[in-house]
Amino acid sequence: MKQKSKKLALLGLCTAAAMVLSYVESLIPLFLPGLKIGLPNVVIVFVLYQAGWLSAAGVSLVRVGLVAVLFGNTLSLAYSFAGAVLSLLVMGLLKKVGFFSAVGVSVAGGVSHNGAQIAVAAAVMRTSQLLYYLPALIIGGTIAGVLIGIAGGILLRRLPAADLLERH
């Protein structure tokens, strides 16, 4: 029982850290509308590798919901939720395959997140012209995914002995 409480508390801290990183990210101006670095995904990649897909999904989806309530709106929730769900599915599958590093998993997560958001935006605006924006978002998602994957990999290497979120 004590171990479950510890894990829940640590996942709560990870959720809070991801929320703070979401807020910090919102303060960073980027040259391309809709493009974000994906700072909260450092935490998601860490949790994915330390505690598994279900814990990562929980942290990610709770973060998305709380950030939308605190800083966003219904539309931002739809975009973020779609991106988070597809990203989690892709990252979970690639991690399970075991062929990709944290960087590769992160890149795939970033690109799939952008793809899901474009799909939602195209549906909401009822235009396929937004698909022309996809190449720029794929490039941005790839660059951001590499940076986030490197940061997540560093975090994973620096905290393995702590077994912070070891699965039981």
Side-chain angles (χ1 to χ4, degrees), residues 70-149:
L70 295 172
F71 310 119
N73 54 46
T74 307
L75 202 51
S76 68
L77 175 63
Y79 292 134
S80 295
F81 182 76
V85 167
L86 185 59
S87 176
L88 283 163
L89 289 172
V90 168
M91 290 192 306
L93 286 172
L94 292 181
K95 180 192 172 273
K96 186 175 181 106
V97 168
F99 181 73
F100 298 93
S101 68
V103 173
V105 168
S106 176
V107 167
V111 171
S112 61
H113 189 279
N114 288 342
Q117 287 190 323
I118 282 290
V120 169
V124 167
M125 296 180 174
R126 296 185 181 148
T127 179
S128 62
Q129 290 185 340
L130 287 175
L131 297 178
Y132 291 114
Y133 196 43
L134 197 54
L137 288 178
I138 288 171
I139 293 168
T142 300
I143 294 168
V146 167
L147 297 174
I148 295 305

